[in-house]
Amino acid sequence: MPSHQAQLRTLLNALESCDLETRIDVVREVAVPLLEHLGYSLARDAAATAASSAFILAADLEKRLAKIGSMISEDDA
């Protein structure tokens, strides 16, 4: 199995051929679920404050990426 760094490099290289809106969508579709999964893992295995922080980070990142996406869409219009 490829290393995580190699998988990330492959994803980043693939994104180079995409437009900016697609890149933002992919980042949101990958990063937000990863952070949510981390939150669920933390909720099972660690303090509740750590889990809630991961969920807050995921929600904030999703909102910020959506905002960036809408800004790019407006610029293209």
Side-chain angles (χ1 to χ4, degrees):
M1 174 169 23
S3 72
H4 295 86
Q5 292 84 4
Q7 292 173 336
L8 178 58
R9 262 191 311 279
T10 299
L11 177 60
L12 292 173
N13 288 337
L15 285 174
E16 286 299 317
S17 64
C18 299
D19 60 48
L20 288 174
E21 288 182 59
T22 301
R23 290 180 193 190
I24 292 167
D25 288 343
V26 170
V27 169
R28 190 178 73 244
E29 291 168 1
V30 171
V32 171
L34 285 172
L35 288 169
E36 290 172 342
H37 181 74
L38 176 62
Y40 289 118
S41 297
L42 289 169
R44 282 193 307 268
D45 300 329
T49 55
S52 64
S53 292
F55 289 120
I56 290 168
L57 180 58
D60 187 50
L61 180 61
E62 186 166 26
K63 287 178 193 170
R64 288 173 185 261
L65 288 171
K67 176 73 173 171
I68 292 169
S70 68
M71 291 167 68
I72 290 170
S73 294
E74 291 170 4
D75 287 347
D76 289 344

